[in-house]
PDB file of all heavy atoms in Angstrom:
ATOM      1  N   ASP B 134      -3.494  -0.876  -5.577  1.00  0.00           N
ATOM      2  CA  ASP B 134      -2.154  -0.875  -5.049  1.00  0.00           C
ATOM      3  C   ASP B 134      -2.193  -0.023  -3.795  1.00  0.00           C
ATOM      4  O   ASP B 134      -2.664   1.118  -3.824  1.00  0.00           O
ATOM      5  CB  ASP B 134      -1.169  -0.291  -6.073  1.00  0.00           C
ATOM      6  CG  ASP B 134       0.261  -0.564  -5.639  1.00  0.00           C
ATOM      7  OD1 ASP B 134       0.710   0.109  -4.711  1.00  0.00           O
ATOM      8  OD2 ASP B 134       0.876  -1.454  -6.221  1.00  0.00           O
ATOM      9  N   SER B 135      -1.612  -0.541  -2.717  1.00  0.00           N
ATOM     10  CA  SER B 135      -1.753   0.127  -1.426  1.00  0.00           C
ATOM     11  C   SER B 135      -1.124   1.527  -1.383  1.00  0.00           C
ATOM     12  O   SER B 135      -1.562   2.391  -0.631  1.00  0.00           O
ATOM     13  CB  SER B 135      -1.172  -0.733  -0.302  1.00  0.00           C
ATOM     14  OG  SER B 135       0.187  -1.013  -0.582  1.00  0.00           O
ATOM     15  N   HIS B 136      -0.078   1.742  -2.210  1.00  0.00           N
ATOM     16  CA  HIS B 136       0.614   3.063  -2.126  1.00  0.00           C
ATOM     17  C   HIS B 136      -0.123   4.171  -2.887  1.00  0.00           C
ATOM     18  O   HIS B 136       0.482   5.249  -3.117  1.00  0.00           O
ATOM     19  CB  HIS B 136       2.054   2.902  -2.595  1.00  0.00           C
ATOM     20  CG  HIS B 136       2.870   2.149  -1.587  1.00  0.00           C
ATOM     21  ND1 HIS B 136       3.184   0.823  -1.736  1.00  0.00           N
ATOM     22  CD2 HIS B 136       3.368   2.526  -0.392  1.00  0.00           C
ATOM     23  CE1 HIS B 136       3.850   0.420  -0.664  1.00  0.00           C
ATOM     24  NE2 HIS B 136       3.974   1.415   0.168  1.00  0.00           N
ATOM     25  N   THR B 137      -1.360   3.929  -3.228  1.00  0.00           N
ATOM     26  CA  THR B 137      -2.174   5.018  -3.822  1.00  0.00           C
ATOM     27  C   THR B 137      -2.346   6.186  -2.864  1.00  0.00           C
ATOM     28  O   THR B 137      -2.751   7.285  -3.266  1.00  0.00           O
ATOM     29  CB  THR B 137      -3.531   4.377  -4.260  1.00  0.00           C
ATOM     30  OG1 THR B 137      -3.260   3.229  -5.052  1.00  0.00           O
ATOM     31  CG2 THR B 137      -4.355   5.361  -5.078  1.00  0.00           C
ATOM     32  N   THR B 138      -2.015   5.989  -1.592  1.00  0.00           N
ATOM     33  CA  THR B 138      -2.020   7.099  -0.650  1.00  0.00           C
ATOM     34  C   THR B 138      -1.081   8.223  -1.105  1.00  0.00           C
ATOM     35  O   THR B 138      -1.218   9.364  -0.667  1.00  0.00           O
ATOM     36  CB  THR B 138      -1.536   6.665   0.765  1.00  0.00           C
ATOM     37  OG1 THR B 138      -0.287   6.033   0.657  1.00  0.00           O
ATOM     38  CG2 THR B 138      -2.538   5.702   1.398  1.00  0.00           C
ATOM     39  N   THR B 139      -0.102   7.889  -1.933  1.00  0.00           N
ATOM     40  CA  THR B 139       0.875   8.849  -2.501  1.00  0.00           C
ATOM     41  C   THR B 139       0.169  10.140  -2.932  1.00  0.00           C
ATOM     42  O   THR B 139       0.691  11.267  -2.736  1.00  0.00           O
ATOM     43  CB  THR B 139       1.564   8.244  -3.731  1.00  0.00           C
ATOM     44  OG1 THR B 139       2.088   6.988  -3.397  1.00  0.00           O
ATOM     45  CG2 THR B 139       2.666   9.153  -4.247  1.00  0.00           C
ATOM     46  N   HIS B 140      -0.994  10.001  -3.575  1.00  0.00           N
ATOM     47  CA  HIS B 140      -1.624  11.139  -4.252  1.00  0.00           C
ATOM     48  C   HIS B 140      -2.201  12.165  -3.301  1.00  0.00           C
ATOM     49  O   HIS B 140      -2.619  13.249  -3.716  1.00  0.00           O
ATOM     50  CB  HIS B 140      -2.660  10.613  -5.224  1.00  0.00           C
ATOM     51  CG  HIS B 140      -2.122   9.605  -6.158  1.00  0.00           C
ATOM     52  ND1 HIS B 140      -1.028   9.874  -6.984  1.00  0.00           N
ATOM     53  CD2 HIS B 140      -2.400   8.280  -6.364  1.00  0.00           C
ATOM     54  CE1 HIS B 140      -0.725   8.784  -7.655  1.00  0.00           C
ATOM     55  NE2 HIS B 140      -1.526   7.814  -7.281  1.00  0.00           N
ATOM     56  N   GLY B 141      -2.171  11.863  -2.015  1.00  0.00           N
ATOM     57  CA  GLY B 141      -2.553  12.858  -1.037  1.00  0.00           C
ATOM     58  C   GLY B 141      -1.693  14.099  -1.136  1.00  0.00           C
ATOM     59  O   GLY B 141      -2.113  15.208  -0.761  1.00  0.00           O
ATOM     60  N   ALA B 142      -0.485  13.939  -1.648  1.00  0.00           N
ATOM     61  CA  ALA B 142       0.420  15.081  -1.809  1.00  0.00           C
ATOM     62  C   ALA B 142      -0.135  16.085  -2.813  1.00  0.00           C
ATOM     63  O   ALA B 142       0.274  17.238  -2.817  1.00  0.00           O
ATOM     64  CB  ALA B 142       1.800  14.588  -2.277  1.00  0.00           C
ATOM     65  N   MET B 143      -1.074  15.659  -3.652  1.00  0.00           N
ATOM     66  CA  MET B 143      -1.667  16.540  -4.613  1.00  0.00           C
ATOM     67  C   MET B 143      -2.947  17.176  -4.025  1.00  0.00           C
ATOM     68  O   MET B 143      -3.776  17.732  -4.791  1.00  0.00           O
ATOM     69  CB  MET B 143      -2.046  15.803  -5.915  1.00  0.00           C
ATOM     70  CG  MET B 143      -0.991  14.834  -6.415  1.00  0.00           C
ATOM     71  SD  MET B 143       0.650  15.526  -6.646  1.00  0.00           S
ATOM     72  CE  MET B 143       0.406  16.503  -8.104  1.00  0.00           C
ATOM     73  N   GLY B 144      -3.123  17.076  -2.740  1.00  0.00           N
ATOM     74  CA  GLY B 144      -4.349  17.600  -2.131  1.00  0.00           C
ATOM     75  C   GLY B 144      -5.552  16.777  -2.485  1.00  0.00           C
ATOM     76  O   GLY B 144      -6.676  17.246  -2.546  1.00  0.00           O
ATOM     77  N   ALA B 145      -5.314  15.483  -2.785  1.00  0.00           N
ATOM     78  CA  ALA B 145      -6.376  14.557  -3.191  1.00  0.00           C
ATOM     79  C   ALA B 145      -6.515  13.446  -2.162  1.00  0.00           C
ATOM     80  O   ALA B 145      -5.597  13.273  -1.344  1.00  0.00           O
ATOM     81  CB  ALA B 145      -6.088  13.969  -4.534  1.00  0.00           C
ATOM     82  N   LEU B 146      -7.609  12.732  -2.215  1.00  0.00           N
ATOM     83  CA  LEU B 146      -7.750  11.547  -1.351  1.00  0.00           C
ATOM     84  C   LEU B 146      -7.416  10.316  -2.211  1.00  0.00           C
ATOM     85  O   LEU B 146      -8.116  10.035  -3.178  1.00  0.00           O
ATOM     86  CB  LEU B 146      -9.165  11.431  -0.819  1.00  0.00           C
ATOM     87  CG  LEU B 146      -9.486  10.123  -0.068  1.00  0.00           C
ATOM     88  CD1 LEU B 146      -8.641  10.028   1.212  1.00  0.00           C
ATOM     89  CD2 LEU B 146     -10.956  10.015   0.259  1.00  0.00           C
ATOM     90  N   GLY B 147      -6.329   9.639  -1.880  1.00  0.00           N
ATOM     91  CA  GLY B 147      -5.963   8.440  -2.613  1.00  0.00           C
ATOM     92  C   GLY B 147      -5.854   7.265  -1.668  1.00  0.00           C
ATOM     93  O   GLY B 147      -5.364   7.413  -0.554  1.00  0.00           O
ATOM     94  N   PHE B 148      -6.342   6.123  -2.104  1.00  0.00           N
ATOM     95  CA  PHE B 148      -6.240   4.937  -1.263  1.00  0.00           C
ATOM     96  C   PHE B 148      -6.257   3.681  -2.155  1.00  0.00           C
ATOM     97  O   PHE B 148      -6.781   3.676  -3.251  1.00  0.00           O
ATOM     98  CB  PHE B 148      -7.339   4.889  -0.197  1.00  0.00           C
ATOM     99  CG  PHE B 148      -8.730   4.989  -0.733  1.00  0.00           C
ATOM    100  CD1 PHE B 148      -9.440   3.874  -1.074  1.00  0.00           C
ATOM    101  CD2 PHE B 148      -9.322   6.253  -0.895  1.00  0.00           C
ATOM    102  CE1 PHE B 148     -10.729   3.975  -1.604  1.00  0.00           C
ATOM    103  CE2 PHE B 148     -10.611   6.356  -1.387  1.00  0.00           C
ATOM    104  CZ  PHE B 148     -11.298   5.229  -1.731  1.00  0.00           C
ATOM    105  N   GLY B 149      -5.663   2.604  -1.619  1.00  0.00           N
ATOM    106  CA  GLY B 149      -5.566   1.351  -2.345  1.00  0.00           C
ATOM    107  C   GLY B 149      -6.808   0.489  -2.125  1.00  0.00           C
ATOM    108  O   GLY B 149      -7.489   0.596  -1.088  1.00  0.00           O
ATOM    109  N   ILE B 150      -7.098  -0.351  -3.077  1.00  0.00           N
ATOM    110  CA  ILE B 150      -8.233  -1.251  -3.002  1.00  0.00           C
ATOM    111  C   ILE B 150      -7.842  -2.621  -3.578  1.00  0.00           C
ATOM    112  O   ILE B 150      -6.885  -2.717  -4.343  1.00  0.00           O
ATOM    113  CB  ILE B 150      -9.471  -0.714  -3.777  1.00  0.00           C
ATOM    114  CG1 ILE B 150      -9.100  -0.355  -5.228  1.00  0.00           C
ATOM    115  CG2 ILE B 150     -10.057   0.530  -3.073  1.00  0.00           C
ATOM    116  CD1 ILE B 150     -10.253   0.112  -6.085  1.00  0.00           C
ATOM    117  N   GLY B 151      -8.609  -3.644  -3.255  1.00  0.00           N
ATOM    118  CA  GLY B 151      -8.381  -4.971  -3.799  1.00  0.00           C
ATOM    119  C   GLY B 151      -9.056  -5.128  -5.177  1.00  0.00           C
ATOM    120  O   GLY B 151      -9.722  -4.224  -5.645  1.00  0.00           O
ATOM    121  N   SER B 152      -8.846  -6.312  -5.765  1.00  0.00           N
ATOM    122  CA  SER B 152      -9.352  -6.525  -7.123  1.00  0.00           C
ATOM    123  C   SER B 152     -10.868  -6.510  -7.207  1.00  0.00           C
ATOM    124  O   SER B 152     -11.453  -6.059  -8.188  1.00  0.00           O
ATOM    125  CB  SER B 152      -8.835  -7.868  -7.667  1.00  0.00           C
ATOM    126  OG  SER B 152      -7.418  -7.831  -7.668  1.00  0.00           O
ATOM    127  N   SER B 153     -11.565  -7.000  -6.149  1.00  0.00           N
ATOM    128  CA  SER B 153     -13.027  -6.995  -6.186  1.00  0.00           C
ATOM    129  C   SER B 153     -13.526  -5.554  -6.210  1.00  0.00           C
ATOM    130  O   SER B 153     -14.540  -5.261  -6.853  1.00  0.00           O
ATOM    131  CB  SER B 153     -13.586  -7.723  -4.971  1.00  0.00           C
ATOM    132  OG  SER B 153     -13.256  -9.065  -4.999  1.00  0.00           O
ATOM    133  N   GLU B 154     -12.835  -4.677  -5.476  1.00  0.00           N
ATOM    134  CA  GLU B 154     -13.244  -3.267  -5.450  1.00  0.00           C
ATOM    135  C   GLU B 154     -12.903  -2.605  -6.803  1.00  0.00           C
ATOM    136  O   GLU B 154     -13.613  -1.683  -7.237  1.00  0.00           O
ATOM    137  CB  GLU B 154     -12.539  -2.519  -4.317  1.00  0.00           C
ATOM    138  CG  GLU B 154     -12.895  -3.037  -2.916  1.00  0.00           C
ATOM    139  CD  GLU B 154     -14.290  -2.647  -2.458  1.00  0.00           C
ATOM    140  OE1 GLU B 154     -15.156  -2.347  -3.283  1.00  0.00           O
ATOM    141  OE2 GLU B 154     -14.502  -2.636  -1.219  1.00  0.00           O
ATOM    142  N   ILE B 155     -11.824  -3.049  -7.439  1.00  0.00           N
ATOM    143  CA  ILE B 155     -11.531  -2.505  -8.773  1.00  0.00           C
ATOM    144  C   ILE B 155     -12.665  -2.822  -9.719  1.00  0.00           C
ATOM    145  O   ILE B 155     -13.121  -1.987 -10.515  1.00  0.00           O
ATOM    146  CB  ILE B 155     -10.206  -3.093  -9.365  1.00  0.00           C
ATOM    147  CG1 ILE B 155      -9.008  -2.779  -8.448  1.00  0.00           C
ATOM    148  CG2 ILE B 155      -9.936  -2.565 -10.761  1.00  0.00           C
ATOM    149  CD1 ILE B 155      -7.713  -3.466  -8.901  1.00  0.00           C
ATOM    150  N   GLU B 156     -13.136  -4.064  -9.605  1.00  0.00           N
ATOM    151  CA  GLU B 156     -14.291  -4.492 -10.454  1.00  0.00           C
ATOM    152  C   GLU B 156     -15.478  -3.556 -10.192  1.00  0.00           C
ATOM    153  O   GLU B 156     -16.116  -3.050 -11.125  1.00  0.00           O
ATOM    154  CB  GLU B 156     -14.651  -5.935 -10.097  1.00  0.00           C
ATOM    155  CG  GLU B 156     -15.876  -6.425 -10.817  1.00  0.00           C
ATOM    156  CD  GLU B 156     -16.520  -7.636 -10.108  1.00  0.00           C
ATOM    157  OE1 GLU B 156     -15.886  -8.205  -9.186  1.00  0.00           O
ATOM    158  OE2 GLU B 156     -17.650  -7.988 -10.465  1.00  0.00           O
TER     159      GLU B 156
END
Side-chain angles (χ1 to χ4, degrees):
Chain B
D134 192 286
S135 58
H136 289 100
T137 309
T138 55
T139 308
H140 307 303
M143 317 306 286
L146 172 65
F148 54 91
I150 53 177
S152 300
S153 296
E154 299 286 22
I155 300 175
E156 176 201 349

